[in-house]
Amino acid sequence: MKKLVLLGALALSVLSLPTFADEKPLKIGIEAAYPPFASKAPDGSIVGFDYDIGNALCEEMKVKCVWVEQEFDGLIPALKVRKIDAILSSMSITDDRKKSVDFTNKYYNTPARLVMKDGTVVSDSLVELKGKKIGVQRGSIHNRFAEEVLKPLGAEIKPYSSQNEIYLDVQAGRLDGTVADATLLNDGFLKTDSGKGFAFVGPAFTDVKYFGDGVGIAVRKGDALKDKINAAIAGIRENGTYKKIQDKYFDFDIYGK
């Protein structure tokens, strides 16, 4: 009888293993210096669209979210050494990044824009950028775009650790402008007191070579977590949670076509 009880207990413990595995907290990497997608509230907590979407996805997957802050250019290395399980930090899906990580389906898609002093004329050819100092966030798709497209036109490209540092130097006149996500620039700079006197100039940038197929969540190569997150993205899109979060931050459809 004791043997039967022992065997029964072992069988139950084996059956319960997947449940415990499923309940393991999901460590999500984020850079909290990218409003309105992720930033710090006065009390030190993380707020923003990315943060809310991540929490909604964890709720949909019935797992606990653990947020790990990291500078943007350190996110993929942190993922590879298993410091985090996923990256949810407005990371665009590009062929170059796909060599290192797997991406989920997109959870939003917006173009890149250039911000300079209001009244600055920049044509579609961008020739007016010759000799201009343009700030970009190091390790971002905008960094690569600026180096490969704007620099050959004569622009001087200045990489920074965070977009907030760029705003300070644009405002102080140490930079002539910056190129980044249009929504980020609009909400994080142009709509603020610091952004007074500045505006979008030139064309919208949407080249798939640089800006990919939207913004997704990065996981390690071959990780089955990708499929679970994709199902969760579809779930919050269908049940209205995504729209509720979107409407909290934007007055347009950020998901895109």
Side-chain angles (χ1 to χ4, degrees), residues 21-57:
D22 289 344
E23 291 176 356
K24 182 180 177 183
L26 183 65
K27 293 179 290 185
I28 305 177
I30 191 168
E31 184 198 38
Y34 205 67
F37 298 98
S39 60
K40 287 294 194 69
D43 64 0
S45 61
I46 303 173
V47 295
F49 178 76
D50 281 352
Y51 180 72
D52 288 355
I53 287 291
N55 287 328
L57 292 174

Side-chain angles (χ1 to χ4, degrees), residues 4 8 38 42 47 52 59-60 69 125 162 165 169 172 175 186 212 219:
L4 287 173
V47 295
D52 288 355
E59 186 175 340
E60 183 74 11
E69 288 186 62
S125 67
S162 77
E165 292 176 41
D169 277 4
L175 289 172
N186 192 45
V219 299

Side-chain angles (χ1 to χ4, degrees), residues 176-205:
D176 296 299
T178 179
V179 62
D181 178 86
T183 305
L184 165 76
L185 291 170
N186 192 45
D187 287 60
F189 185 60
L190 295 180
K191 285 185 177 180
T192 70
D193 290 340
S194 299
K196 287 180 180 178
F198 297 90
F200 287 127
V201 299
F205 305 121

Side-chain angles (χ1 to χ4, degrees), residues 132-168:
K132 302 297 184 183
K133 295 178 182 177
I134 305 298
V136 291
Q137 185 168 14
R138 187 179 292 109
S140 68
I141 55 173
H142 310 98
N143 191 163
R144 182 187 171 208
F145 169 75
E147 289 288 346
E148 295 184 11
V149 176
L150 305 185
K151 189 174 182 178
L153 294 173
E156 188 178 344
I157 309 305
K158 301 284 188 180
Y160 286 72
S161 294
S162 77
Q163 195 64 37
N164 287 336
E165 292 176 41
I166 296 173
Y167 296 150
L168 291 173

Side-chain angles (χ1 to χ4, degrees), residues 70-176:
Q70 180 83 47
E71 285 194 355
F72 191 82
D73 58 357
L75 285 168
I76 289 180
L79 180 66
K80 287 185 171 183
V81 299
R82 298 180 178 272
K83 181 180 177 182
I84 55 177
D85 303 308
I87 299 169
L88 203 167
S89 194
S90 291
M91 185 170 281
S92 296
I93 305 165
T94 65
D95 288 339
D96 190 49
R97 287 179 177 147
K98 285 178 184 177
K99 295 172 185 175
S100 301
V101 299
D102 282 347
F103 278 100
T104 64
N105 298 333
K106 71 170 185 179
Y107 67 96
Y108 80 83
N109 191 7
T110 52
R113 293 294 305 270
L114 183 67
V115 159
M116 299 180 75
K117 281 187 177 179
D118 194 8
T120 303
V121 176
V122 177
S123 62
D124 288 352
S125 67
L126 307 175
V127 293
E128 295 86 356
L129 296 183
K130 184 176 181 179
K132 302 297 184 183
K133 295 178 182 177
I134 305 298
V136 291
Q137 185 168 14
R138 187 179 292 109
S140 68
I141 55 173
H142 310 98
N143 191 163
R144 182 187 171 208
F145 169 75
E147 289 288 346
E148 295 184 11
V149 176
L150 305 185
K151 189 174 182 178
L153 294 173
E156 188 178 344
I157 309 305
K158 301 284 188 180
Y160 286 72
S161 294
S162 77
Q163 195 64 37
N164 287 336
E165 292 176 41
I166 296 173
Y167 296 150
L168 291 173
D169 277 4
V170 167
Q171 188 183 22
R174 289 184 287 269
L175 289 172
D176 296 299

